[in-house]
Every structure is written in structure tokens, then in C-alpha cells.
Amino acid sequence: MKYAFATLFLISSLAATTAAAARPQIGLVLAGGGAKGSAHIGVLKVLEELRIPIDAIAGTSMGALVGAGYASGMTAAEMESAITSVDWNQLMDDDPQRAEWPMRRKEESLRPTFGFAIGRRDGKLRLPKGAISGQEILLYLSDLTSGAEGIENFDQLPIPFRAVATDLETGQMVVIDQGPLPFAMRASMAVPGVFAPLETDGRIYVDGGLVRNLPVDIARAMGVDTLIVVKLDSDPPTREQLSSVLGSTAQMIGFLFAQNEERSLTEIDAGRDVLVRPQLGDIGPGDFDRGPEAIATGVAAARRVADQLARLEVSEAEYAAWRASVGRRRQTVEYIDAVRVVGLERVSPALFEPVVERHAGRPLDRAELERDLNHLFGRGDFERVNYRIEREGGRNLLIVDAVEKGWGPGYLSFGLGLSNDFRGDSRFGLRATYRQTWINALGGEWLSEVNLGNEPRLFSEFFQPIDPARTAFAAPYIDLGKVPLGVFRGNERVARFDITRYRIGVDLGTTFGPFAELRLGLLAGLVEAKIDTGSPLVPEVQNNETGLRGRLLYDTRDSGAIARSGSFVKLDLFAPREALGADRDYLRTEIDASKALSSGPNTLALNLRGGTAFGDDMPYYDQFPLGGFLNLSGYANEQFRSNEYAFGSLVYQHRFATLQPPLGKGLYLGGSLEVGRQWDVIETINRSETRYGGSLFFGADTWFGPFYLGLGLSGDGDTTGYVLLGRP
């Protein structure tokens, strides 16, 4: 029986080979154009309907993405599903979901800075290579071409393929015909200024559209008889679109593409080649959410030239034999024999040991592998952490490419914060943060922050893990700062104090995966409360506050600014102790918890907070404040203080616009209902009672931090406005 099957297989293979030899060899040329390139899938759908086999493909940029997917053995329907079902905003955002970040990075994100950092390497300041490094894109490309894993020579793909890129150092065209297929695709689509150039094999690659956006000559050189050339046409941009930096940059790049396209068009032989020109209209290179529309334009364009394509049709039997031969050449890897990590310079290889243990000698689980790699990438140390599979001695070798940031390991970032409640409380600050990573093999970090403004601060911490996974750590620090504090009698501000703190301490802590961190520490501190203006209703003091502190932090939110999902819990303990030199004993305990749930563009967040001194009498500057935006809106910032309080709010927000990474996440309209109760107050200036507030606001989660413009209404009927940018 097995001999009969082998005979039939041989006959069908010979038949397919004979048929391929008898018919003209057909090459497919796919142009670049960003999101417009989805039209190529529509053309492929019609070619399949007409039973036109493809023998070679050459593509540039998005044409390389679609072409490589098809060359690896995917069908047009599979390509359509892969392109239209993916969240392109997420692909263009290098970072994995914030919930998967390690806790240290989540903590740092609560100090909002602008969405980029200047690197410091070898004593020199360096800029990032591009707005998008391509971490998510490369993982997506690896999934897309899973049928070609382990194939180094592109002539051995199910359909022979070429990608076109530009050598950034020489400006010369590079035809990529071997190597990991996802890397070839990524190199071809590295639009300058948008995607970081791809450095591999000693060369630096950027978008191939700069030199050959329509690679007619490349496909012709693959030995085909006839070409099907797909050129993407669209309306010129409007003057309004050109008024932005992104619009004008895209137009300049478009000019370069158009110039070399005109030369390529002259290389088309009208007698034997077919030119397909999808009309994209106003669909632009960044309109990935309009993929279905772009695909439809490809279908329409191919059908307009169906009479020219008809001469390339083959019989159902011939087409089935071609499709079967493509399927037989697919090489999907199911099992990993060994794992090798390459590219590490400063980062400890021990960090990757869990990846090696989970995937070596086991069936390939792509979803788990991508989660593991994204978790490592989320640490912030890498330009990319991707994978490829090589065949070595009959074994499947998983190669993890861990490319550390070329502009690190030191990072300098800046932030701007301001707030105004239009009731006399205005705060502003310019923030500079410097982070030096991988000071030693265990991943020691030095973090320093300087704030300038009316809340000046100097903070510096050395974070020393006991292992690269940061399961436990020690963190000595110094913290010097001054904040303004208002004193109110009823609704009237009667005094303003300056609260200056000097602290030095050390924390010991542990992390619980990427979701929680516990710290316990000892600090030596001095606090000064000096009156700036007004009546001294509370005394000026200079207190020693040496004592103990503790903090438990749990954070699964998707954003540290305006969360749409996830939970947050923070428990803070502070206990000055006379036995350690403090001027008074008290135990300040506060818990802050929130939960955000979203459906479509709508988000509802529940926030609960409470604090107590367990009957101790705290100094006024350490009492719990209420009042201000989303903290009893309608009242002045920190208008009320007490030794014990409870607070709850319900916040609704509607995302009416999505921002493209790296500009931010979204724009929101929302409102809140708030209630707070205080006990154990200073009776001469405050009352223990329940108060209500509410707000309407516009919010933005942007690259420079959270921004709010709000109107608050208090339970007493008072209204006030609020402006907040970042955290001053």
C-alpha cells in the first residue's frame, strides 16, 4: 500500500512540475505604501479566484509583508484574517501591556515624564533610533511566516521571494534573499523616523521604498516570464494634512517613493506583463484600521484587468497541483530541541534562564513564548527581544535575539507638571530623572530625580536586587523636598505653610511577580513647618520623624495615567518612634484602592480610600487631606485635614478619540460622583462631617503625561475649575 501511495505522490509531483514547465512562470511585484498595502490582499484574492499560480514574489515595505506571508504558504483568506484582525495600534506600540511590566517600571511610570528618554552610553548622550523599535511588529511577523521557519534561502520558500531594503550607510539598494524571513520583512518596512533601522549582519537597513518601491527589475531577475505588478495609487494629501509635522514628513517620503516608482513603471512590458492599480482614495499610509476598505480596492482593481489576467489562468487540476506543491514546502516547527540566547552585553544571562527551561525540549507554544519575551522586553532594557528558529544537525534550535538598547544603559528623561484649582492653589514643576541600569551583574540601578518649581525635590535611590529576577532587594535612598500647605477655616484659606522634609533611609523588599511589591524600611528624618503667609492657626514646628515605614503596592492597571482596566491597591504605613529619636510617636496608615472596567469606549472606575492614626494625634502636616479635583471636587486642593477619613468616588469616562503611539493613548470626556467623611479634626478650623463633590472633565492620556481640564461642584453648591498636567 505504501508503495502505491509513493507512486501516486511521485506522479502528482511530476505532473505539477511538467505543468509548471509548460506554462509561463509568473512573478508578482508588490509595492510599498504602509496601510495602503492591504490592497495587495484583494489582488491575491482575485488571482486565486482566476486560478493564477505565482512562481516568484518581490515586495517592498508593506508589499514585503504581504508578499512574504503569501510566499510562506498562506492563502489570501488567511492573509486577510491576519491583517484585519490584528490591533495595529498595539503593534505600533513597542511596549507590552502595562499590566505585564515589572513592578519597578510601574513605580517609575507614576513619575510621569515625556514619552522618550535620552540615552547615555560611553559618556556620550544618544537619541533613540526611532519612534518605534518594532518589538511587537517582529513578533507578529514571526507568527505570520510560521510556515517558513528554519528556511534560510528564500528560493527554498514555498514560493521564492525577495525583499527590498536600503542600506542606511551607503544609500544603496539591498535585495534580501536569505536569512530569517521576519527580519527581511522588518528591514524592508523600516520607515525612517518612524521605525528604528534594523541592524543585523553588520548592516543597517531602512525602508526599501527609498530606492525601489516597485521592484519590477528584482522580480524579473528571478527568472520569470510574466509579471503582475501592483502599484498603489491614492489621492494627494490635503493642505490640512500637510500642516502637521507627520503629514509633511510623509509627503516628503512619498516624493522619494514616487520618483523611483516612475522609473520602475518604464520597465513593465505591456505585451506580457499586467499592471494592477488599486485606487486607494483618501486611505493613507497610517490608516491600518481601514484595512477592509483597502482590500476591497485591490479586488476592484484586479477585476478591472481580469481580461488581461485571463491568459494566465490554468485548469482546476493544474491550480490544485500548484497549491498542493506550495503546501508541501511549508515547514512549520512543532518542537524545540534547544534554546540559545544571543546578543547580551550587560544584561545577565540568568534573566533568560526561565525562558530556556520552559521551552527547551518541549513542543513550541508560541503564545507562551511571546508572553515570556514581552515580559523581558517590558523591563525597559532592550531594543527588541524576538526569536527565530534554525535547523542545526536535524534539530530545531530556538534563537532568542536579545538586542539591548544601543543608547543605554543610562537614561535621562524630563517631565512637566502643573495644577491650578482657581482657588489660590497653583503648583508647577519641571522634572528631570536619570536612571543608570545594570551597574552590576545582579541588575543594580541608580535612580535620581530633581524637581524645580514651587515643590522642589531631590530624590536619589540605589536599587540593589539579590538576583536578576528582583525577588528581593535593598534600596538605600535620600529624599529632600519642600511642598506648600494651605490652612483653611471653613472655605477661607487663612494661612500657607512651607513643609520641608529631609530623609535618609533604606528599604528591604520583595516582589510578587509583575503585580505586587512589599517594602519595609527604616528612615531618619527631620521636618520643618514654617509659615509663609497668613495667621498661624497651627504652630510652626521642627520635628525629628525618625522611624519605620512600610508599603504594599499592587498594580495591574493598563495605564498609570488614565486607566481603562485593571486594579490598584496601595497600603502605606509610617511610624515615627521616640525610641529611635523621633519627637513623638504615631502610626499613620492609609489604603488606596481602585478598579477600572471598560466596555468599548466607556470606562467606569470605583475608587476607595481611607486612613487612620488609630487614635494618635498626628501633626497637622501629616493629617489626611481631602479636597480638589476627583478628591471632593468643587473644594480647594487639600482644604480639609483629619486624623481619620474615608473617601469613595465613581468616575465615568468616554474615550472619544484614540491617539496613535507614541503620541499617547486617548482623549476622554467624563464625570465623577464623590463622597468623603472625616473624623478627629482640629475643631477650631474644621468639622467632622460628610461632604460631597462631583465633576465634569476633559482628559488626555498623552506622551507628556495625563492632562485634565475639569469643572468641580461641591456639596455646598460651590464651583471651581481645575487644570492639571502630569504631577507637579
Side-chain angles (χ1 to χ4, degrees):
M1 184 68 181
K2 65 180 181 180
Y3 297 111
F5 178 80
T7 302
L8 289 173
F9 178 79
L10 178 62
I11 292 173
S12 64
S13 298
L14 290 172
T17 303
T18 303
R23 62 175 177 80
Q25 297 291 286
I26 302 169
L28 181 63
V29 180
L30 302 179
K36 298 187 295 183
S38 298
H40 295 316
I41 299 172
V43 175
L44 289 173
K45 291 175 69 174
V46 174
L47 296 182
E48 289 184 349
E49 290 174 6
L50 296 177
R51 301 192 303 275
I52 298 176
I54 301 300
D55 302 291
I57 302 175
T60 299
S61 197
M62 189 66 175
L65 185 152
V66 175
Y70 202 68
S72 68
M74 297 181 74
T75 65
E78 290 170 336
M79 286 295 303
E80 181 175 23
S81 176
I83 294 293
T84 58
S85 63
V86 70
D87 183 345
W88 284 92
N89 283 331
Q90 183 176 336
L91 283 187
M92 297 301 175
D93 187 354
D94 284 324
D95 266 339
Q97 296 296 315
R98 182 181 180 275
E100 297 298 324
W101 291 3
M103 281 303 300
R104 179 143 182 91
R105 190 173 175 208
K106 288 178 181 177
E107 288 181 73
E108 291 171 8
S109 73
L110 300 180
R111 300 180 173 94
T113 55
F114 300 148
F116 68 93
I118 299 172
R120 181 178 178 275
R121 184 183 180 95
D122 300 327
K124 297 180 181 179
L125 296 180
R126 301 171 184 261
L127 293 174
K129 299 176 182 177
I132 301 171
S133 71
Q135 165 72 9
E136 292 291 333
I137 284 286
L138 258 176
L139 290 177
Y140 172 72
L141 298 180
S142 296
D143 279 345
L144 199 68
T145 57
S146 60
E149 285 170 329
I151 297 177
E152 286 290 314
N153 188 324
F154 293 174
D155 284 335
Q156 296 173 0
L157 291 169
I159 301 174
F161 172 73
R162 300 289 184 270
V164 178
T166 304
D167 187 314
L168 184 59
E169 294 180 294
T170 66
Q172 299 298 310
M173 178 179 69
V174 180
V175 180
I176 305 177
D177 60 0
Q178 59 185 335
L181 188 55
F183 280 35
M185 300 157 74
R186 169 67 178 82
S188 183
M189 59 191 296
V191 179
V194 180
F195 286 104
L198 182 76
E199 296 186 38
T200 185
D201 298 330
R203 306 182 79 167
I204 305 174
Y205 297 108
V206 293
D207 197 299
L210 297 171
V211 289
R212 194 76 87 250
N213 200 50
L214 195 65
V216 173
D217 56 334
I218 308 305
R220 186 90 69 195
M222 297 176 75
V224 295
D225 303 304
T226 297
L227 295 179
I228 299 173
V229 182
V230 186
K231 181 185 181 301
L232 305 172
D233 292 332
S234 56
D235 296 340
T238 65
R239 181 160 295 187
E240 180 181 357
Q241 292 171 324
L242 293 175
S243 63
S244 69
V245 174
L246 292 177
S248 58
T249 301
Q251 178 73 335
M252 287 188 290
I253 293 175
F255 286 152
L256 295 173
F257 287 10
Q259 289 174 4
N260 65 67
E261 275 189 335
E262 289 302 317
R263 181 177 66 249
S264 296
L265 287 172
T266 65
E267 298 170 346
I268 297 175
D269 186 335
R272 56 176 174 160
D273 301 331
V274 180
L275 178 60
V276 186
R277 305 186 73 155
Q279 303 298 313
L280 279 299
D282 63 348
I283 299 176
D287 293 332
F288 287 98
D289 58 335
R290 300 178 67 181
E293 296 177 60
I295 292 172
T297 68
V299 171
R303 286 180 176 157
R304 283 195 298 270
V305 294
D307 55 338
Q308 299 177 51
L309 294 170
R311 60 186 173 82
L312 303 176
E313 294 181 25
V314 297
S315 68
E316 291 186 11
E318 287 178 302
Y319 190 78
W322 171 80
R323 188 77 249 179
S325 69
V326 168
R328 286 193 299 272
R329 289 195 291 269
R330 297 191 72 174
Q331 298 185 23
T332 302
V333 172
E334 303 292 343
Y335 188 86
I336 297 299
D337 294 289
V339 179
R340 181 184 300 161
V341 181
V342 299
L344 296 180
E345 299 176 17
R346 298 173 300 273
V347 176
S348 171
L351 200 64
F352 288 80
E353 288 178 359
V355 177
V356 176
E357 293 173 1
R358 271 194 291 270
H359 298 281
R362 297 185 181 183
L364 175 59
D365 186 332
R366 295 181 191 278
E368 182 181 43
L369 176 60
E370 291 184 9
R371 283 194 300 270
D372 289 343
L373 299 186
N374 268 335
H375 177 69
L376 291 167
F377 180 79
R379 292 173 57 99
D381 299 313
F382 300 98
E383 184 177 332
R384 66 173 190 267
V385 186
N386 301 109
Y387 72 94
R388 51 193 165 91
I389 296 174
E390 295 182 358
R391 301 186 190 278
E392 188 177 87
R395 304 164 73 233
N396 294 324
L397 181 61
L398 174 66
I399 307 291
V400 176
D401 287 294
V403 180
E404 298 173 19
K405 286 181 176 177
W407 57 97
Y411 305 96
L412 178 65
S413 55
F414 299 92
L416 178 66
L418 62 88
S419 69
N420 195 323
D421 67 355
F422 300 99
R423 298 279 295 272
D425 189 278
S426 179
R427 308 187 187 199
F428 61 92
L430 177 64
R431 177 182 295 107
T433 301
Y434 180 75
R435 183 168 61 97
Q436 183 74 24
T437 64
W438 288 97
I439 294 174
N440 51 48
L442 294 175
E445 293 185 4
W446 177 40
L447 174 68
S448 293
E449 178 183 313
V450 176
N451 286 2
L452 301 177
N454 63 354
E455 289 190 327
R457 185 188 186 200
L458 170 63
F459 174 81
S460 188
E461 177 188 69
F462 187 81
F463 180 86
Q464 181 58 63
I466 66 166
D467 60 20
R470 299 173 177 172
T471 54
F473 60 86
Y477 64 90
I478 183 171
D479 191 359
L480 315 174
K482 182 171 70 174
V483 296
L485 182 147
V487 179
F488 291 80
R489 176 183 285 157
N491 289 330
E492 181 184 0
R493 189 191 310 271
V494 295
R496 187 188 301 274
F497 280 71
D498 287 329
I499 310 300
T500 305
R501 272 193 158 104
Y502 309 90
R503 288 179 170 180
I504 183 170
V506 60
D507 289 338
L508 300 178
T510 184
T511 58
F512 304 93
F515 306 120
E517 177 189 272
L518 174 66
R519 287 186 178 220
L520 298 173
L522 174 68
L523 67 87
L526 180 69
V527 59
E528 296 178 348
K530 293 186 176 181
I531 191 165
D532 178 40
T533 59
S535 303
L537 296 183
V538 295
E540 292 186 312
V541 297
Q542 184 179 67
N543 285 337
N544 184 309
E545 57 175 8
T546 298
L548 307 172
R549 77 167 188 173
R551 188 188 67 188
L552 175 64
L553 187 63
Y554 174 84
D555 191 350
T556 64
R557 295 174 299 177
D558 66 328
S559 172
I562 303 178
R564 300 194 71 243
S565 65
S567 302
F568 176 81
V569 178
K570 182 172 70 169
L571 175 64
D572 270 323
L573 304 174
F574 176 48
R577 297 288 96 183
E578 292 180 0
L580 298 174
D583 290 318
R584 61 199 299 184
D585 281 347
Y586 59 91
L587 177 59
R588 187 184 194 275
T589 305
E590 185 176 26
I591 186 168
D592 181 357
S594 64
K595 175 70 175 179
L597 297 170
S598 293
S599 177
N602 303 301
T603 301
L604 194 63
L606 174 65
N607 306 286
L608 299 172
R609 294 203 314 275
T612 181
F614 297 100
D616 294 335
D617 185 21
M618 295 192 295
Y620 187 73
Y621 56 78
D622 253 355
Q623 290 183 348
F624 303 108
L626 281 179
F629 182 60
L630 301 181
N631 186 37
L632 284 186
S633 301
Y635 295 102
N637 286 335
E638 301 184 350
Q639 182 171 336
F640 312 106
R641 287 181 175 269
S642 65
N643 287 309
E644 193 169 15
Y645 86 107
F647 173 83
S649 69
L650 201 60
V651 181
Y652 166 79
Q653 57 194 29
H654 173 79
R655 186 173 66 184
F656 65 89
T658 300
L659 298 178
Q660 296 286 339
L663 297 180
K665 294 182 179 294
L667 304 178
Y668 303 86
L669 292 174
S672 66
L673 296 174
E674 306 148 30
V675 59
R677 171 75 184 183
Q678 292 177 304
W679 300 269
D680 195 7
V681 302
I682 300 177
E683 298 291 345
T684 57
I685 61 175
N686 201 355
R687 297 193 309 272
S688 296
E689 63 179 70
T690 301
R691 296 180 175 91
Y692 302 90
S695 70
L696 297 173
F697 61 82
F698 162 78
D701 193 349
T702 71
W703 70 275
F704 53 78
F707 172 77
Y708 284 100
L709 180 63
L711 175 66
L713 174 65
S714 75
D716 296 330
D718 296 326
T719 60
T720 189
Y722 301 96
V723 176
L724 294 94
L725 172 63
R727 292 178 179 87

